[in-house]
Amino acid sequence: MRPFDYVRPSGLPEATRQARAEGSAFIAGGTNLLDLMKLEVMAPTRLVDINRLDLAECASLPIGGLRIGALVTNSDLAADERVRRDYPLLSRALLAGASGQLRNKATTGGNLLQRTRCYYFYDTSAPCNKREPGSGCSAIGGATRLHAILGASDHCIATHPSDMAVAMQALDAGVEIETVEGITRSVPLSDFYRLPGDTPHIETVLEPGDLITGVVLPAPVKATQIYRKVRDRASYAFALVSAAAVVAVENGTIGSAALAFGGVAPRPWRNHHAELMLAGERPSEKLFEAFADEVLGEARGQGGNDFKIPLLRRTIIATLKQATEESQ
Amino acid sequence: MQTDLTINGHTYALNADQRTTLLDALRQHLGLTGAKKGCDHGQCGACTVLVNGRRINSCLTLACMHDGDEIVTIEGIGSEEDLSALQQAFMSEDGFQCGYCTPGQICSATAMLEEVKAGWPSHVSDSLDGKPRLSDEEISERMSGNLCRCACYPNIVAAIRSASEASS
Amino acid sequence: MTAHVKMDAPDRRNRLDAMAQGVIGEPLDRSEGALKVSGKAVYAHEWPVEGLCHAVLVRAAISRGTVTRIDKAPVEAMDGVLAVIDDDRLLRNPAQGTANKAPVQGPRKIFYIGQPLAVVVAESFEQARHAAQQLVVETEAADAVLDPEAETLEHERPKGKQTSQGDLDQAMGAAAFSIDEVYRTPGHSSAPMEPHAAIASWDGDRLTVRASCQMLKYNRNELADALGIKPENVRILAPYVGGGFGSKLGIAHDAVAASIAARAVGRPVALALSRRQVFETTMRRSESRQRVRLAADAEGRLTGIGHAALVSQLPGEKFSEPVTQATHFLYAAKNREIVHEIVRLNLTCAGSVRAPGEAIGMTVLETAMDELAIKAGIDPVELRKRNIPETDPEGDKPFSSHMLASALDRGAKLFDWQRRNPVPRSTRDGEWLIGLGMSSAARVNMLAEAEAIVTLSAGGVRIESDMTDIGTGTYTVLAQVAAEMLGQPMQSVTTVLGDTDLPPGPGSGGSWGASSTGSAVFAACEDIRKCLAEKLGCVEEELTLKDGHAVTANRRVPLAELLADGPISVRGVIEPGKTSKEVRQSTFGAFFAEVAVNEVTAEVRVRRMLGVFAAGRILNAKTARSQCLGGMTFGIGMALTEELIHDPRTGAIVNRDFAEYHLPVNADVPQLEVDFLEERDPWASPIQAKGIGELGISGAAASINNAIFNACGVRVRDYPATLDKILAGL
């Protein structure tokens, strides 16, 4: 870990100003940042500690919906009564992630920004375009069990490891961002992450100094919500694949369906186009298969992760089956 | 840089490198070696302590971020002469072998039981309704952030079960 | 006074059973438990030492080559840095168990990625860690050999590790049923929760090292040899060890580098391996390729057994994973062919990981036996029972005891094995397919030379040995032996361990610690009893000791009275003798598992698991059970999740942390059941006890894998049975 300046801003304007300079990083829960700093995968020269900023509240919105402060911990969010009642998918996703200890520290904003678990990103002696732009991708041709089958590029095949973000993606969440200029802007989560392309080191639309202040969930819809996570051990492991589903069935046909997938792409993966196939249709195995095939149309394995293609396919079909049955 | 830390009810003035984690502050600077370093990356739980009543991995937080917090380590849970109910239960159920993960397990379990009382659900809870029943499966899931290579898991579950039954 | 016992004949006296205190075998709490649950047990890196500074190792980033230059100056100039050391005495890899001398040394030649090349010493850990990360080591790379199955590699076949009896090919050809399959097991890491760590301090020429070691008698000599100093000048202290599982058998980088660094900077130095370094630079269990051939007649009686194992190792290391160790004697068959081959690779050193040999050899053999049972249409339990040999099938030696049949029967009954439907995919619970599987357990039994001093005084008993307790229960079981023999309540017994100034024990490894050191304590106690009997004018056999009193004929005398003129102190020595050679000694058992395989995702969950074990006298039913729980849980890891994954181009272990090397977590392990068979093995030791620490893993994974087949009809021959390997067959 490199030495750094440690500052604790008293308010938002000071926070974004202090974080604007090159080499600055916000620290909230620190569960991923300090992990990476110890290995010098990340080496900020200034840590801006935002833990004492007033961002730890969950507030119901007058128009319906919930605004989740960026510093709300994963534990608090999972246990929040409104979340459990209206967005059970989110509680389930959070509870499927990490451990009790980590959830107590990890925050909503930090969880969105957690870095990939790619072995080579974590190894400073190996080339990695995400860590060192232009150095190459060691994962391609290497050990790829963890890696992406969708949305990857020739420059990076890393996956996004969050469970929470997958649920939020299916819930049409928006990310609230405070800029250095003091402007608050909102970005749909579906536009928040960038695909790697040839710039895998740029992972989100955030500009230097930008601070996530909260996540907004739209008013709950009457639908069945399911989060299914598949992993190598029963707990405390990252997803090999996961599926988040928000599905409503009315009078025997699917009214609305939103599905997002984790462990398979550089960002929580959602295919709006494929979702159109479901709306207005009667639930059937055949329909689910067609949907899964559409989602996986562009999927490409790297050898070690080829299994994720059939695994995701089966998981999608089973999740849709369960969701539509429960929603009847 | 000086940080005032409140640990087990005592105030300590820590003068250490800013990079010092809470875990290293406890072990290297304050003589509180009960919290263990098993991985230093939040992947084993041996370093678990309580901060403001909640269990966290003390290896993944900086000491300088904790002025004003109430920190409790295994040394504050119960001494050799005055063991807590959980510590006693770990003894009688043989919830440890080498003992290295044990302080973390016990700190974790101590806070976990409070989480259950507060109605927090877990990954294996059938319902999110806030009335979790502490089955063996629930205990196992909630304790999965604490690895034990001697593999005393069945005994750890038994210890927590018996301590929690005794208290209720 | 010394009481020397050489194990030349079976000891059928069962003296411990004749005692009156009633503590031997009892499920007593650990003696040191209160220290451990309160965080007061002091591990290697925790000793309060004045003036301590910190050291961090620097690793090789290439798999093979030479160091051409180390740019020390910029790092030496960094804040707090005291020294950058690339001393020739730094280890290439840790010593193998019982090596008793230094392993290969020298940081100039690189043999594997992650090899320590230098050590950086600084005032604080934070400074040392950062400085070590900045050190530039220039290297010249050479071609590395990384694939154990590359066809071009030379296979070493050490003489004495090959067996050929009869004509296996002919037996295979004539068999009514046969199996000829290739199985694979991956590399494993011991992964003790306490990383290897040491604090070294010098006082003139005398070196004291607080370290995390399993075998102090050997470790002292290894450390001295590595440093080029006399063993008399080395003291190692290891009263508490946070797990070892083989990885701390021999002296490792931490102790050697800390000692060199402490000498160089003239101050005590602490050095702990990072978790990554534990994965990269301590021992791995070699991966293996195992071809098993089984030939059976129409009744399922084996006519031939072939077991050919290929394992890997660094150049120049003698140890190789003894995969087929139990195949030599487990089942009868006239025609036998056992082959042991080694290839030399540029991968982390291979060494002992819990039950070297049986852990993977039994697992594969027992998977093959399951395949044979299915092919022959014979119940897997019955198939095994039909093939239990009368005597050692390779030399006609009798077994010291043989409890496999009893374990199989007992396990089948307790587990309700008869409920198993032999047809795969016949039991279902929602999305989950349920299956039952079983396997035999066997692990060779060994006795090792051990010494302990037992002192009986008016105040109680004191036991002293350099033996370690790595979670194995040594403190407790040694105290139980002495308490039983000398009629003392447990709280009157003090056990001091883990200090090379004390009499040498064999250390913790090979499951021999408790029976060997326990026998040394027993021998000393017997002599003490003789002294007391003499004082009372009776023979030892007539003396009853209980609760601090001696009873003989009609007299009851407080021991304090008999010891008024001073304590009695005896050095007990146990030495292995003819019983180690005249009979085949093994522990036996059986595993039964119930698993659920998810029909959608192929995830596997163990629902129930039972181990039935026979390991001679059980010294403490609670700690012995815990040892078995540990072994069985290792088995769950081997079966389902544990695997060192190497980058195919560099050999680097890519999953060198606990996030991606998947030890079982609490949620992976159900309430396991352990059952012990009552046994006294007179050939094994004067206390009739055998090893227990490794039996619980030896074959365990096969019961789970066999249950997977029974659940879903997919046979996994490439461990671990991760979901991707099952998915394809669903």
Side-chain angles (χ1 to χ4, degrees):
Chain A
M1 192 185 291
R2 280 191 211 167
F4 49 80
D5 291 332
Y6 173 78
V7 294
R8 198 184 279 170
S10 55
L12 274 184
E14 195 191 338
T16 51
R17 199 177 60 243
Q18 281 176 332
R20 187 181 194 175
E22 203 181 317
S24 293
F26 291 115
I27 183 163
T31 52
N32 191 206
L33 180 60
L34 289 169
D35 166 36
L36 291 164
M37 284 171 65
K38 286 180 184 190
L39 301 169
E40 299 198 3
V41 172
M42 291 178 76
T45 50
R46 174 188 289 174
L47 275 192
V48 182
D49 180 356
I50 56 169
N51 280 292
R52 316 242 166 159
L53 298 186
D54 191 16
L55 296 170
E57 292 293 313
C58 269
S60 301
L61 299 173
I63 50 161
L66 191 68
R67 182 191 175 279
I68 304 158
L71 292 176
V72 174
T73 65
N74 288 179
S75 292
D76 282 327
L77 187 57
D80 186 281
E81 278 179 34
R82 291 157 294 186
V83 175
R84 280 192 262 169
R85 186 187 61 223
D86 298 334
Y87 311 100
L89 163 64
L90 180 54
S91 275
R92 289 290 180 190
L94 286 159
L95 294 171
S99 66
Q101 291 94 314
L102 288 165
R103 291 194 295 269
N104 277 338
K105 271 309 256 171
T107 63
T108 304
N111 189 316
L112 289 177
L113 294 178
Q114 65 178 301
R115 311 295 302 274
T116 182
R117 306 302 303 189
C118 174
Y119 312 121
Y120 303 96
F121 175 69
Y122 264 79
D123 178 359
T124 51
S125 67
C128 168
N129 287 324
K130 196 184 269 301
R131 189 170 17 80
E132 249 177 87
S135 61
C137 174
S138 299
I140 296 171
T144 55
R145 183 172 176 78
L146 303 177
H147 292 81
I149 52 171
L150 289 163
S153 75
D154 292 344
H155 302 273
C156 182
I157 58 170
T159 51
H160 194 270
S162 172
D163 292 296
M164 183 197 80
V166 178
M168 287 179 170
Q169 182 79 273
L171 290 167
D172 289 316
V175 184
E176 195 183 275
I177 299 162
E178 180 85 3
T179 71
V180 180
E181 292 77 26
I183 298 164
T184 306
R185 64 189 172 116
S186 185
V187 177
L189 190 58
S190 46
D191 296 336
F192 180 74
Y193 295 105
R194 295 174 38 139
L195 287 179
D198 55 7
T199 55
H201 58 292
I202 305 171
E203 295 174 350
T204 68
V205 298
L206 292 176
E207 299 286 338
D210 278 2
L211 175 64
I212 296 176
T213 50
V215 171
V216 175
L217 300 180
V221 292
K222 193 171 168 291
T224 296
Q225 302 183 15
I226 289 173
Y227 188 73
R228 182 164 187 160
K229 178 173 180 176
V230 185
R231 45 186 159 177
D232 272 328
R233 55 184 179 193
S235 188
Y236 207 9
F238 291 96
L240 290 168
V241 312
S242 70
V246 183
V247 177
V249 178
E250 281 162 46
N251 304 324
T253 60
I254 298 172
S256 65
L259 288 102
F261 311 105
V264 292
R267 66 179 188 204
W269 194 254
R270 192 163 167 187
N271 187 328
H272 288 92
H273 176 71
E275 284 171 17
L276 294 176
M277 295 169 58
L278 298 172
E281 297 293 325
R282 299 186 79 80
S284 73
E285 187 95 11
K286 217 172 149 192
L287 177 69
F288 304 154
E289 285 173 10
F291 171 79
D293 289 338
E294 180 64 25
V295 169
L296 287 161
E298 309 267 291
R300 201 166 64 112
Q302 301 284 340
N305 65 350
D306 290 352
F307 71 94
K308 284 187 179 182
I309 296 174
L311 180 61
L312 182 59
R313 188 173 188 277
R314 298 169 76 104
T315 305
I316 288 173
I317 294 166
T319 304
L320 272 171
K321 192 159 172 259
Q322 186 193 343
T324 50
E325 278 169 11
E326 285 180 15
S327 183
Q328 299 269 2
Chain B
M1 175 175 175
Q2 185 177 318
T3 308
D4 292 329
L5 295 172
T6 308
I7 306 167
N8 305 327
H10 302 282
T11 305
Y12 295 81
L14 173 73
N15 274 296
D17 191 310
Q18 225 154 239
R19 294 170 286 184
T20 308
T21 61
L22 179 56
L23 176 63
D24 287 330
L26 294 170
R27 288 172 61 80
Q28 302 292 345
H29 296 271
L30 306 176
L32 294 166
T33 56
K36 304 299 184 210
K37 186 184 282 192
C39 74
D40 217 14
H41 287 272
Q43 298 162 356
C44 77
C47 66
T48 303
V49 301
L50 278 58
V51 173
N52 302 328
R54 293 199 172 178
R55 49 178 172 161
I56 67 160
N57 301 110
S58 63
C59 72
L60 283 188
T61 193
L62 297 171
C64 64
M65 295 165 74
H66 289 284
D67 54 304
D69 287 338
E70 291 284 340
I71 298 159
V72 175
T73 67
I74 190 68
E75 289 89 346
I77 299 264
S79 66
E80 265 176 274
E81 298 77 29
D82 184 22
L83 299 173
S84 76
L86 263 170
Q87 288 171 315
Q88 282 284 1
F90 268 70
M91 291 261 294
S92 50
E93 298 292 342
D94 211 29
F96 58 93
Q97 293 181 39
C98 80
Y100 198 76
C101 74
T102 314
Q105 298 275 1
I106 292 171
C107 284
S108 186
T110 302
M112 182 275 279
L113 291 176
E114 294 303 313
E115 294 169 6
V116 173
K117 274 188 201 151
W120 289 13
S122 86
H123 171 61
V124 298
S125 304
D126 287 333
S127 157
L128 297 175
D129 66 8
K131 298 182 199 75
R133 197 182 65 82
L134 202 59
S135 64
D136 285 358
E137 191 191 12
E138 281 279 4
I139 297 174
S140 284
E141 162 59 25
R142 290 167 190 266
M143 291 301 294
S144 281
N146 291 83
L147 302 189
C148 170
R149 186 54 154 170
C150 298
C152 282
Y153 298 131
N155 294 353
I156 289 168
V157 171
I160 295 170
R161 188 204 305 131
S162 80
S164 105
E165 280 167 3
S167 79
S168 61
Chain C
M1 259 197 331
T2 297
H4 189 121
V5 174
K6 191 168 182 208
M7 202 61 198
D8 276 334
D11 186 336
R12 303 184 195 278
R13 299 174 302 147
N14 295 347
R15 286 297 287 152
L16 275 166
D17 291 321
M19 299 294 132
Q21 190 62 30
V23 294
I24 199 70
E26 289 299 303
L28 305 182
D29 293 352
R30 283 169 203 270
S31 312
E32 81 290 10
L35 285 173
K36 286 181 173 172
V37 298
S38 61
K40 291 287 163 50
V42 180
Y43 296 82
H45 203 250
E46 300 173 350
W47 291 68
V49 176
E50 274 300 302
L52 196 61
C53 49
H54 297 264
V56 170
L57 294 170
V58 178
R59 72 189 274 270
I62 60 168
S63 342
R64 191 172 167 221
T66 46
V67 174
T68 50
R69 181 167 168 267
I70 296 185
D71 198 5
K72 290 184 187 177
V75 169
E76 284 166 341
M78 288 174 70
D79 260 2
V81 172
L82 300 169
V84 178
I85 296 163
D86 59 344
D87 193 289
D88 283 335
R89 294 170 298 174
L90 291 174
L91 304 184
R92 179 186 74 166
N93 52 266
Q96 300 287 350
T98 72
N100 220 25
K101 60 182 189 178
V104 176
Q105 291 169 279
R108 307 271 176 275
K109 275 184 85 175
I110 298 167
F111 288 85
Y112 62 96
I113 203 161
Q115 180 183 330
L117 301 181
V119 56
V120 176
V121 195
E123 289 288 345
S124 76
F125 167 63
E126 291 75 22
Q127 290 165 334
R129 179 178 56 192
H130 177 51
Q133 280 157 328
Q134 301 310 304
L135 188 71
V136 175
V137 179
E138 290 172 17
T139 55
E140 197 175 287
D143 286 343
V145 187
L146 303 171
D147 177 7
E149 298 195 29
E151 282 177 8
T152 48
L153 295 185
E154 186 200 333
H155 289 198
E156 293 171 25
R157 283 192 177 205
K159 270 187 197 159
K161 291 192 175 175
Q162 326 293 329
T163 300
S164 186
Q165 233 173 264
D167 185 342
L168 181 61
D169 289 336
Q170 197 271 329
M172 288 293 287
F177 304 102
S178 65
I179 293 291
D180 182 357
E181 296 287 353
V182 172
Y183 303 82
R184 287 178 177 81
T185 63
H188 297 136
S189 178
S190 292
M193 294 311 296
E194 180 200 22
H196 301 56
I199 294 178
S201 39
W202 291 85
D203 179 7
D205 285 338
R206 288 192 55 87
L207 171 67
T208 303
V209 181
R210 278 99 175 162
S212 188
C213 295
Q214 293 181 228
M215 296 186 153
L216 299 197
K217 172 173 84 173
Y218 300 103
N219 302 143
R220 171 157 77 167
N221 293 335
E222 290 153 6
L223 180 56
D225 189 32
L227 297 171
I229 63 176
K230 290 184 184 141
E232 306 85 270
N233 283 338
V234 175
R235 183 181 184 193
I236 302 178
L237 293 161
Y240 297 102
V241 177
F245 315 108
S247 74
K248 296 169 182 170
L249 291 178
I251 206 74
H253 309 288
D254 49 303
V256 173
S259 301
I260 292 169
R263 192 62 155 178
V265 301
R267 285 169 58 180
V269 169
L271 191 158
L273 301 192
S274 69
R275 180 51 63 182
R276 283 181 157 192
Q277 289 169 337
V278 175
F279 275 101
E280 282 189 329
T281 75
T282 71
M283 300 305 193
R284 72 182 167 99
R285 189 201 301 283
S286 171
E287 76 297 315
S288 73
R289 186 189 71 190
Q290 302 182 44
R291 180 185 179 199
V292 179
R293 283 179 288 171
L294 300 174
D297 66 18
E299 280 77 47
R301 289 194 173 76
L302 288 170
T303 53
I305 295 179
H307 196 168
L310 174 69
V311 296
S312 69
Q313 180 57 293
L314 278 174
E317 285 294 300
K318 218 172 159 189
F319 173 90
S320 61
E321 179 82 17
V323 178
T324 56
Q325 200 154 253
T327 311
H328 290 288
F329 63 85
L330 188 64
Y331 296 123
K334 257 174 103 178
N335 304 289
R336 313 175 74 85
E337 198 172 298
I338 293 174
V339 177
H340 181 84
E341 296 184 311
I342 308 158
V343 290
R344 301 290 167 181
L345 298 183
N346 295 108
L347 295 179
T348 295
C349 191
S352 295
V353 175
R354 200 173 199 164
E358 284 90 333
I360 56 172
M362 280 292 294
T363 292
V364 163
L365 181 61
E366 288 298 291
T367 311
M369 282 295 279
D370 197 61
E371 297 208 52
L372 181 65
I374 286 154
K375 217 169 191 179
I378 299 172
D379 181 88
V381 173
E382 179 56 31
L383 178 73
R384 283 155 175 95
K385 283 171 69 182
R386 280 183 200 174
N387 287 291
I388 295 174
E390 292 285 313
T391 56
D392 187 331
E394 286 181 11
D396 270 354
K397 257 189 218 177
F399 286 95
S400 67
S401 76
H402 204 302
M403 301 290 279
L404 179 55
S406 311
L408 291 164
D409 285 339
R410 173 95 178 135
K413 185 160 169 263
L414 288 175
F415 206 70
D416 209 2
W417 177 252
Q418 58 172 8
R419 277 177 45 206
R420 168 180 173 270
N421 187 330
V423 181
R425 301 184 69 90
S426 51
T427 311
R428 175 184 291 277
D429 178 1
E431 260 183 12
W432 298 87
L433 297 165
I434 312 300
L436 303 188
M438 58 76 55
S439 57
S440 299
R443 169 75 177 155
V444 293
N445 185 62
M446 294 173 275
L447 184 72
E449 189 166 337
E451 296 184 23
I453 291 176
V454 180
T455 305
L456 177 67
S457 65
V461 179
R462 186 178 170 88
I463 304 167
E464 296 165 295
S465 169
D466 82 348
M467 180 58 193
T468 48
D469 186 332
I470 63 171
T472 37
T474 317
Y475 280 108
T476 319
V477 298
L478 295 186
Q480 280 173 279
V481 171
E484 190 65 55
M485 291 295 289
L486 300 177
Q488 298 285 320
M490 281 293 281
Q491 58 270 27
S492 301
V493 184
T494 305
T495 308
V496 187
L497 301 175
D499 179 349
T500 50
D501 278 0
L502 302 176
S508 303
S511 297
W512 64 31
S515 61
S516 304
T517 314
S519 294
V521 169
F522 172 87
C525 290
E526 271 209 301
D527 262 31
I528 293 172
R529 289 176 55 86
K530 280 178 197 153
C531 288
L532 294 170
E534 209 167 287
K535 283 174 191 266
L536 285 163
C538 65
V539 292
E540 190 260 330
E541 287 78 2
E542 286 169 6
L543 176 69
T544 301
L545 298 177
K546 190 166 190 299
D547 295 332
H549 286 76
V551 182
T552 177
N554 295 325
R555 288 175 66 197
R556 185 167 187 270
V557 188
L559 283 178
E561 211 171 278
L562 291 177
L563 297 162
D565 53 347
I568 306 171
S569 193
V570 177
R571 176 184 290 256
V573 182
I574 181 79
E575 190 189 337
K578 289 177 189 160
T579 65
S580 294
K581 300 198 178 78
E582 287 175 355
V583 288
R584 166 65 79 173
Q585 292 188 29
S586 176
T587 51
F588 291 99
F591 301 102
F592 291 81
E594 176 181 318
V595 307
V597 180
N598 190 285
E599 207 180 7
V600 174
T601 61
E603 289 164 288
V604 179
R605 300 283 180 261
V606 178
R607 292 195 162 188
R608 291 194 295 146
M609 190 171 177
L610 163 71
V612 178
F613 304 109
R617 181 193 300 279
I618 300 301
L619 300 170
N620 178 322
K622 185 180 283 191
T623 57
R625 174 176 173 271
S626 292
Q627 285 278 288
C628 296
L629 293 178
M632 289 161 70
T633 304
F634 260 72
I636 293 174
M638 273 181 61
L640 301 179
T641 58
E642 287 188 44
E643 172 176 23
L644 291 173
I645 302 172
H646 297 273
D647 180 277
R649 302 152 303 187
T650 65
I653 297 168
V654 295
N655 59 340
R656 53 193 164 129
D657 62 29
F658 285 151
E660 297 304 334
Y661 183 88
H662 291 135
L663 304 185
V665 297
N666 202 318
D668 290 306
V669 182
Q671 284 296 307
L672 308 173
E673 272 182 86
V674 173
D675 189 71
F676 290 116
L677 297 177
E678 187 72 18
E679 189 193 14
R680 305 279 182 270
D681 190 334
W683 296 85
S685 60
I687 55 175
Q688 297 82 34
K690 293 157 101 169
I692 190 87
E694 296 168 308
L695 181 59
I697 186 179
S698 299
S703 67
I704 295 165
N705 196 15
N706 296 342
I708 291 172
F709 179 81
N710 182 242
C712 68
V714 179
R715 175 66 66 185
V716 177
R717 299 193 182 92
D718 179 11
Y719 281 86
T722 45
L723 57 84
D724 47 303
K725 294 172 192 164
I726 299 169
L727 197 67
L730 280 182

